[in-house]
Amino acid sequence: MKATELLKKQHREVKGLFRQVKKASDARGRRAGMEEIASKLEAHMRIEEQIFYPAVQEIGTKKAEELVPEAYEEHHVAQLVLKELPQVDPKDERFEAKMTVLEELIEHHVEEEEKEMFKLAEKLGDDRLSELAEEMQGAMGAEGGRASGGSTMRAAAGGRR
Ligand SMILES: [Fe+2]
Ligand SMILES: [Fe+2]
């Protein structure tokens, strides 16, 4: 698998989680969903920042020098929202507002990554992209059980994927 494919798969996963949170019937489900989104996004942003973005930056074109710093800044803004969310009561209307802002932010960011940065990353070649995917998977695995929140969310939302 190529790094860009791995990252795209994670993008789809987070998108699905946002949909689930909107469907969640109670505050507990919304909070559980938010926590799962936070943990998935944090892991995703970490491997991009530590492994993928530096590799794209190495391409060294003007486009790379423009896209990579912008992506770091967008992660930064997403992290600010993620930090605030646990302090907001999921019954409060601000919770939904913040989740919507986060979702829009992520949607915009993902679109730029997939349409521009990942296209540029093709310059790295398939071998290098596969290597990067392995490196990222290794880094995710090293985080241990962080990805185990899924079942809680599904139970709380009372639904299936
Ligand atoms: Fe990103
Ligand atoms: Fe991404």
Side-chain angles (χ1 to χ4, degrees), residues 7 11 44-45 48 53 75 109-110 113 118:
L7 295 172
H11 289 165
H44 176 81
M45 293 193 287
E48 283 185 338
Y53 290 175
H75 281 190
H109 177 70
V110 160
E113 281 186 340
F118 292 4

Side-chain angles (χ1 to χ4, degrees), residues 27-149:
R28 244 186 68 210
R30 283 197 293 277
R31 174 170 291 274
M34 177 274 287
E35 282 166 359
E36 195 181 356
I37 287 173
S39 109
K40 287 258 158 72
L41 272 180
E42 272 157 18
H44 176 81
M45 293 193 287
R46 196 174 315 122
I47 57 171
E48 283 185 338
E49 290 184 11
Q50 289 176 351
I51 297 162
F52 187 70
Y53 290 175
V56 174
Q57 198 139 30
E58 270 169 39
I59 296 170
T61 59
K62 210 173 149 223
K63 193 81 188 157
E65 273 160 30
E66 179 190 304
L67 289 175
V68 174
E70 204 182 302
Y72 276 111
E73 287 309 317
E74 286 173 352
H75 281 190
H76 175 66
V77 178
Q79 261 144 2
L80 291 178
V81 182
L82 281 172
K83 221 184 282 168
E84 287 176 359
L85 268 166
Q87 284 137 46
V88 182
D89 186 344
K91 291 201 240 10
D92 192 316
E93 61 184 20
R94 280 169 57 237
F95 184 85
E96 203 186 323
K98 267 190 206 300
M99 285 299 284
T100 303
V101 168
L102 180 66
E103 186 180 14
E104 285 170 0
L105 205 86
I106 297 297
E107 235 168 66
H108 161 83
H109 177 70
V110 160
E111 201 178 301
E112 277 197 346
E113 281 186 340
E114 294 190 2
K115 294 210 171 120
E116 299 193 54
M117 192 193 280
F118 292 4
K119 226 163 88 188
L120 177 69
E122 290 298 325
K123 282 188 196 293
L124 293 167
D126 286 1
D127 288 351
R128 178 85 175 111
L129 284 173
S130 303
E131 231 175 69
L132 288 168
E134 266 173 52
E135 231 181 288
M136 288 194 284
Q137 272 166 327
M140 297 271 290
E143 286 181 46
R146 284 181 59 104
S148 63

